[in-house]
């Protein structure tokens, strides 16, 4: 049930429905920014995804403003505000001393619209920092009235930001939030939480549980080849997890990945 409360809070603190206008590549010159920011536009989706997925390794917060521009222009903020808020919120947690400078910069950035501020203010709340809470209170008026009312209720009730690794995963969307947190931090605890849901895959009597398990095993399989941390967690769990089904599913995952890698190596070069 805690997962449902987490998702309900995330949903309540992000825009209800902002229509996607389709993906487009950022163009144009960089906007004025505070010292240390690199607002050079991302060169397409692959460039942005590489920054996002490996943020925990490269740790380049100077690109955060450019990332906001890209996500807004490509409808990521409107289509996936929960993922964006979790990702940015974890960056804020790691960079409390930079928050005032960033927010000051964004206040004078004409490119950032209401939807971006809704995500940023939610991220400030998720950061769980004193600096973030103060900046959130000061800038609440930059979001829509509907959003202000929602977050105002949360602040009034003194609701603490949820811990994504606590409680059961009862919705497939929680898997995406865990990956967003991992991308920002590289914390293996988020990966272990996802592994804990693998045993639900193939549950024929519970469609929701099966969907959660499928999301867990499929996203692990897609990330193992690219992240040493994910591979290590999965290998450790494959040997040590007390749940036999989890071990069997991870073993199958590794076997399929090895087969795919072997097939790729034997394909003739073109």
């Amino acid at each position: 049930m805690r997962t449902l409360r987490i998702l309900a809070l995330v949903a309540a603190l992000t825009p209800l429905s902002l229509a996607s206008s389709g993906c487009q590549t950022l163009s144009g010159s960089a906007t004025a920014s505070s010292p240390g920011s690199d607002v050079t536009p991302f060169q397409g989706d692959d460039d942005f995804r590489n920054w996002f997925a490996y943020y925990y390794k490269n740790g380049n917060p100077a690109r955060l403003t450019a990332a906001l521009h890209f996500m807004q222009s490509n409808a990521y903020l409107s289509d996936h505000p929960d993922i964006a808020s979790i990702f940015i919120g974890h960056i804020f947690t790691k960079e409390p001393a930079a928050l005032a400078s960033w927010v000051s910069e964004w206040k004078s950035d004409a490119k950032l619209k209401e939807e971006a501020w809704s995500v940023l203010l939610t991220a400030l709340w998720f950061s769980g920092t004193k600096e973030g809470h103060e900046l959130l209170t000061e800038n609440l008026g930059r979001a829509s009235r509907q959003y202000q009312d929602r977050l105002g209720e949360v602040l009034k009730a003194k609701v603490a930001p949820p811990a994504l690794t606590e409680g059961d995963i009862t919705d497939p969307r929680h898997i995406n939030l865990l990956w967003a947190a991992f991308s920002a931090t590289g914390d293996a605890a988020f990966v272990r939480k996802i592994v804990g849901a693998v045993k639900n895959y193939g549950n024929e009597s519970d469609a929701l549980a099966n969907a959660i398990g499928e999301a867990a095993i499929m996203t692990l399989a897609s990330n193992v080849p690219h992240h040493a941390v994910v591979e290590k967690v999965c290998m450790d769990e494959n040997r040590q997890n007390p749940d036999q089904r989890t071990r069997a599913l991870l073993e199958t995952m590794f076997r399929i990945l090895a087969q795919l890698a072997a097939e790729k190596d034997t394909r003739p070069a073109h």
Side-chain angles (χ1 to χ4, degrees), residues 184-200:
T185 65
D187 190 338
F190 297 114
V191 183
R192 287 193 291 269
K193 185 67 176 180
I194 294 168
V195 170
V198 165
K199 61 181 179 291
N200 293 303

Side-chain angles (χ1 to χ4, degrees), residues 66-109:
L68 285 168
H69 293 164
F70 185 89
M71 288 190 286
Q72 182 173 259
S73 295
N74 290 273
Y76 288 167
L77 297 183
S78 57
D79 290 349
H80 307 289
D82 49 355
I83 293 175
S85 296
I86 291 292
F87 176 76
I88 297 172
H90 279 81
I91 294 177
F92 285 171
T93 301
K94 296 170 63 178
E95 307 282 349
L99 292 183
S101 177
W102 274 332
V103 172
S104 177
E105 173 185 336
W106 296 330
K107 285 163 68 173
S108 61
D109 189 337

Side-chain angles (χ1 to χ4, degrees), residues 18-100:
L18 297 172
S20 169
S21 58
C23 294
Q24 46 184 273
T25 303
L26 265 182
S27 60
S29 59
T31 58
S33 62
S34 61
S37 289
D38 177 4
V39 292
T40 305
F42 284 93
Q43 300 304 306
D45 204 55
D46 287 344
D47 187 22
F48 169 76
R49 287 177 181 272
N50 186 64
W51 176 85
F52 183 99
Y54 296 98
Y55 181 88
Y56 71 94
K57 293 181 69 174
N58 300 326
N60 189 1
R63 302 298 320 274
L64 188 52
T65 299
L68 285 168
H69 293 164
F70 185 89
M71 288 190 286
Q72 182 173 259
S73 295
N74 290 273
Y76 288 167
L77 297 183
S78 57
D79 290 349
H80 307 289
D82 49 355
I83 293 175
S85 296
I86 291 292
F87 176 76
I88 297 172
H90 279 81
I91 294 177
F92 285 171
T93 301
K94 296 170 63 178
E95 307 282 349
L99 292 183

Side-chain angles (χ1 to χ4, degrees), residues 198-256:
V198 165
K199 61 181 179 291
N200 293 303
Y201 181 57
N203 188 336
E204 297 180 355
S205 63
D206 190 332
L208 178 58
N210 179 61
I212 293 169
E214 182 176 15
I217 193 69
M218 296 301 289
T219 56
L220 286 167
S222 66
N223 280 283
V224 161
H226 305 290
H227 300 277
V229 176
V230 179
E231 181 181 26
K232 183 179 186 307
V233 169
C234 288
M235 291 180 69
D236 289 345
E237 294 292 329
N238 183 33
R239 293 191 298 265
Q240 304 170 6
N241 193 288
D243 181 71
Q244 182 179 0
R245 181 168 179 77
T246 297
R247 296 197 306 273
L249 287 166
L250 290 175
E251 177 66 29
T252 300
M253 178 191 75
F254 276 118
R255 185 170 66 252
I256 292 173

Side-chain angles (χ1 to χ4, degrees), residues 77-219:
L77 297 183
S78 57
D79 290 349
H80 307 289
D82 49 355
I83 293 175
S85 296
I86 291 292
F87 176 76
I88 297 172
H90 279 81
I91 294 177
F92 285 171
T93 301
K94 296 170 63 178
E95 307 282 349
L99 292 183
S101 177
W102 274 332
V103 172
S104 177
E105 173 185 336
W106 296 330
K107 285 163 68 173
S108 61
D109 189 337
K111 285 188 176 181
L112 298 181
K113 309 303 181 185
E114 243 181 26
E115 64 184 3
W117 277 102
S118 293
V119 167
L120 287 172
L121 294 173
T122 304
L124 287 170
W125 177 69
F126 271 121
S127 75
T129 64
K130 176 184 176 182
E131 295 87 349
H133 187 277
E134 292 174 349
L135 289 166
L136 164 58
T137 304
E138 292 172 9
N139 294 279
L140 187 57
R142 294 184 176 275
S144 67
R145 169 51 61 182
Q146 187 177 36
Y147 174 85
Q148 292 178 48
D149 292 342
R150 289 175 174 176
L151 189 51
E153 292 177 2
V154 171
L155 294 175
K156 184 178 180 180
K158 298 182 179 180
V159 178
L164 296 178
T165 55
E166 292 183 3
D168 296 330
I169 296 177
T170 56
D171 191 299
R173 293 175 296 169
H174 194 163
I175 302 294
N176 293 330
L177 302 185
L178 288 162
W179 282 120
F182 170 77
S183 292
T185 65
D187 190 338
F190 297 114
V191 183
R192 287 193 291 269
K193 185 67 176 180
I194 294 168
V195 170
V198 165
K199 61 181 179 291
N200 293 303
Y201 181 57
N203 188 336
E204 297 180 355
S205 63
D206 190 332
L208 178 58
N210 179 61
I212 293 169
E214 182 176 15
I217 193 69
M218 296 301 289
T219 56

